[in-house]
Amino acid sequence: MSTSSAPEPRLIPPAGPQRTLAAAQLVSAVGDGAYYTCSALYFTHVVGMSATALGLGLAVAWALGSLAGVPLGHLADRRGPRRTAVALALATAVVVAAFLMIRSYAPFLVAVCLYATTQSGLTAARQALVGALVPPARRTALLAHLQSTLNGGLAVGAAIGGIALAVGTRAAFLGAFAVTALGFLAGALILLRLPEVPPAPAQSGTGPRLAVLRDRRYAAVALVNAVLLLRMPLLSLVIPLWIADRAPGIGWLGSALFVLNTVAVLVFQVRAARGVTGLASAARAVRSAGVVLLASCAVFGLSALDVPVWAVAALLVAASVLQVIGEMRQSAGSWQISFDLAPPERIGQYQGFFGTGVAVARTLGPLLLTTLLLDGGLAGWLVLGGLFLAAGHAMGPVVRWAERDRGHPAPTAPPRPGAAVGTSAAVGVAATEAP
C-alpha cells in the first residue's frame, strides 16, 4: 500500500515549520495556563487588591490590547513576522517577570496593560507567520493543530497553577508566574528556529497604512464573528455562577465541564476542521455552528426548570457537549475566512483586527451574559441562542459581500518573496482549517 494513503496525524502537525509553530504555541500556552489559574487570587489575596479594582484593570488592559493588535500586526507585515513574534514573546516574558515585583495597583495596571498589548500583537504576528509559511489551502488544518496544542498547554499550565493554589503561599504564586515567563522565553527561542520571513513588499501609491481600518466589509465579517465569540465566557464564568445559584451541591461540575471542553478541543479540533478549505465551506461551518450553539443554549436553559439535581447535571453536560461542537466548527470556519479575505501583503494587520473580537468577548461578554442569563433564565438562554443562530446564518452573505470585487483570490495568492512555502509543502502540511 502506498504511504501516501497513511492517515493524517491528528494531534501532531507534520515536521518542519508547522511543528515548530506548534512547539512554540505549546510552551507559551503552558505559561498562560499557569498565569490564568493563579493571577486573580494572587492579586486579590496576596497583593490585596479588591475584586472590583482587578476587574477594572483587566477590562482596561484588554481594551488597550485590542487597539494594539492592528498596528502591531502592521509592524509584523513591514518588519517581518518572525522577528516581530520573537520580540513580542520576549517582551511578554519580561512583563510577566515584572509581576514578581509588583506590590501596588499602579504598577499592576501598567504591567497588565503591557501584557494584553504584547499578547494581542503576538497573536497577530503568529498568524502572519502561518500566512507566510503555509500554503493558503492548508492553513486551517495547521491552525486546528495549533488550537489543539493550545488547549493541551493550557491544561498543563492549569495543573501547575493548581499546585500553586493548593500550596497558597506567596512563593508558590511567584513560582507559577516564573513558569509563565519561562514559557514565553522558550517560545521566543523556538520561533528563532523558523526560516526568516522577509517583510511584505511595500504597496505602491498613497493608500492608508492601516488599510484594514477602512475595510468596511472585513469589519462586518469580524463583527459577526465577535457575536459568535460571546460563547467564550460561558464555561469560564456564567456556568459556574449558574450552578452556584441553582444547584450549589454540584459546584464541582463547573470545573469538570471546563476540563471536558479543553480535552474535547485537544482531541477533536483537527477532525472538526477537516473539509474546511475555502470560503464556501467555511461559511457552511459557521452556519452549522450557529445551529448547534442554539441547541446548546436551549439545553442549558432547560436546567432552569424545576427538575432534580441529577437532571440539572445531565442537562449541563449535554449542553456543554453541544457547545464545544459548535465552538470547534465556528473556530474552523472563522480561521479560514479571516485569512482568505485578507490581502496577502497585509495579513498581520488584518489578523490583528480580526482578533479584536476576542478582546470584545472578554471585555463585554461577562457583563452582557451575566445580566441576560442569570436574570433571564430559560428566556435569556433562548435569546442568546437566537443571536448565535442569526450570526451563523449571517456569515455566508457577509462573506460573499466582502469577497465581491476583491483584487485577489486569497486561496491562490502568491507567497511573499523568500517565504518558505515550498518547504512547508515538502514536509507534507495536512490538506484540509486560530486561535
Side-chain angles (χ1 to χ4, degrees):
M1 181 180 296
S2 171
T3 57
S4 63
S5 62
E8 172 194 343
R10 293 183 179 178
L11 296 180
I12 302 176
Q18 298 84 3
R19 192 169 295 177
T20 301
L21 285 165
Q25 178 86 301
L26 177 63
V27 295
S28 297
V30 170
D32 262 340
Y35 172 78
Y36 290 136
T37 303
C38 293
S39 58
L41 286 180
Y42 173 75
F43 288 116
T44 54
H45 286 59
V46 178
V47 177
M49 296 179 193
S50 68
T52 301
L54 176 64
L56 177 62
L58 292 175
V60 170
W62 285 112
L64 289 176
S66 68
L67 296 176
V70 172
L72 289 176
H74 176 72
L75 180 67
D77 292 331
R78 291 294 163 258
R79 300 291 182 230
R82 192 194 73 161
R83 66 181 63 181
T84 304
V86 169
L88 289 171
L90 291 173
T92 306
V94 171
V95 170
V96 174
F99 285 133
L100 301 174
M101 298 174 285
I102 287 175
R103 304 290 187 272
S104 60
Y105 190 71
F108 159 78
L109 188 59
V110 172
V112 77
C113 287
L114 289 173
Y115 176 79
T117 297
T118 56
Q119 282 284 66
S120 296
L122 180 57
T123 299
R126 282 174 173 163
Q127 298 291 76
L129 270 173
V130 172
L133 296 174
V134 180
R138 303 184 178 187
R139 290 170 184 160
T140 299
L142 174 60
L143 289 169
H145 280 296
L146 294 181
Q147 182 73 355
S148 178
T149 302
L150 171 68
N151 275 40
L154 289 175
V156 174
I160 295 172
I163 295 173
L165 291 175
V167 175
T169 64
R170 182 186 186 90
F173 283 112
L174 296 182
F177 285 156
V179 169
T180 303
L182 290 173
F184 282 102
L185 176 60
L189 296 177
I190 291 172
L191 288 174
L192 286 173
R193 298 171 53 194
L194 291 169
E196 183 64 74
V197 178
Q203 294 298 293
S204 59
T206 58
R209 294 179 63 188
L210 301 181
V212 68
L213 299 181
R214 300 190 181 185
D215 193 333
R216 293 178 300 154
R217 299 182 180 192
Y218 195 84
V221 173
L223 177 61
V224 172
N225 189 64
V227 172
L228 291 163
L229 288 176
L230 289 175
R231 61 172 172 74
M232 292 180 63
L234 288 178
L235 290 183
S236 61
L237 175 66
V238 175
I239 294 305
L241 295 174
W242 179 267
I243 294 172
D245 183 51
R246 287 164 174 78
I250 55 172
W252 53 268
L253 185 60
S255 297
L257 294 178
F258 192 86
V259 171
L260 170 66
N261 179 277
T262 300
V263 173
V265 173
L266 173 66
V267 176
F268 296 112
Q269 180 66 78
V270 175
R271 178 178 298 178
R274 190 172 299 159
V276 179
T277 57
L279 287 174
S281 57
R284 287 194 299 270
V286 174
R287 184 171 63 248
S288 67
V291 174
V292 176
L293 289 172
L294 168 63
S296 172
C297 288
V299 179
F300 272 131
L302 291 176
S303 65
L305 303 179
D306 187 14
V307 296
V309 172
W310 66 264
V312 171
L315 287 168
L316 292 177
V317 171
S320 297
V321 170
L322 290 170
Q323 194 268 346
V324 75
I325 293 172
E327 172 186 336
M328 291 187 291
R329 293 293 291 167
Q330 182 264 329
S331 295
S334 66
W335 297 334
Q336 186 78 38
I337 289 167
S338 70
F339 271 104
D340 282 4
L341 292 178
E345 72 281 359
R346 291 180 171 135
I347 285 180
Q349 64 169 275
Y350 270 69
Q351 288 298 311
F353 183 83
F354 201 80
T356 59
V358 174
V360 170
R362 283 174 169 168
T363 304
L364 300 181
L367 175 61
L368 293 175
L369 296 187
T370 51
T371 302
L372 176 65
L373 302 178
L374 298 184
D375 296 335
L378 175 59
W381 281 104
L382 292 178
V383 169
L384 179 63
L387 194 61
F388 287 146
L389 181 68
H393 278 73
M395 185 62 87
V398 173
V399 164
R400 288 192 292 274
W401 178 57
E403 186 184 17
R404 192 181 310 153
D405 299 328
R406 290 211 170 250
H408 63 89
T412 57
R416 298 178 182 183
V421 171
T423 303
S424 299
V427 297
V429 182
T432 22
E433 155 181 25

